[in-house]
Amino acid sequence: VQLQASGGGLVQAGGSLRLSCAGSGLSFITYYMAWFRQAPGKEREFVAAINRSGGTAYYADSVKGRLTISRDNAKNLVYLQMNSLKPEDTAVYYCAASSFFSKRYGEYDYWGQGTQVTVSS
């Protein structure tokens, strides 16, 4: 199983980025997909998740209205569209797969390698 995250970079506050995560070696459509992030010196935290069909999304309060998770099951891809970015969004972003919905990182089965997002003020 491999989850390959990409799309991170350096952006100014108020800007946008779109992260992508490509899954292989797993039955992608059977998994909830999620994004977590980890800033230096902090615990990994839940950002967003999406159910198997893509019809229901879940968000951390801190990102509601600014970040949007979506998936394309035909291409085994999950996305995180990030708008109105703030310096406090700076972190390494990880995609993850779980057989059920959870906001706890310990309950996810598979992880991508992470992609760095840096938002300058």
Side-chain angles (χ1 to χ4, degrees), residues 1 4 14 17 23 33 44 47-48 81 90 92 96-97 99 109 111 115 121:
V1 175
Q4 184 72 36
L17 282 173
M33 298 300 297
R44 193 168 298 191
V47 174
Q81 178 65 44
T90 295
V92 177
S99 54
D109 301 307
W111 289 88
T115 184
S121 57

Side-chain angles (χ1 to χ4, degrees), residues 32-36 45-51 58-59 96-109 111:
Y32 283 73
M33 298 300 297
W35 289 94
F36 286 76
E45 65 172 356
F46 171 80
V47 174
I50 192 165
N51 71 343
Y58 311 83
Y59 296 97
S98 174
S99 54
F100 58 93
F101 170 66
S102 175
K103 292 184 177 181
R104 292 192 265 184
Y105 65 82
E107 294 182 341
Y108 279 75
D109 301 307
W111 289 88

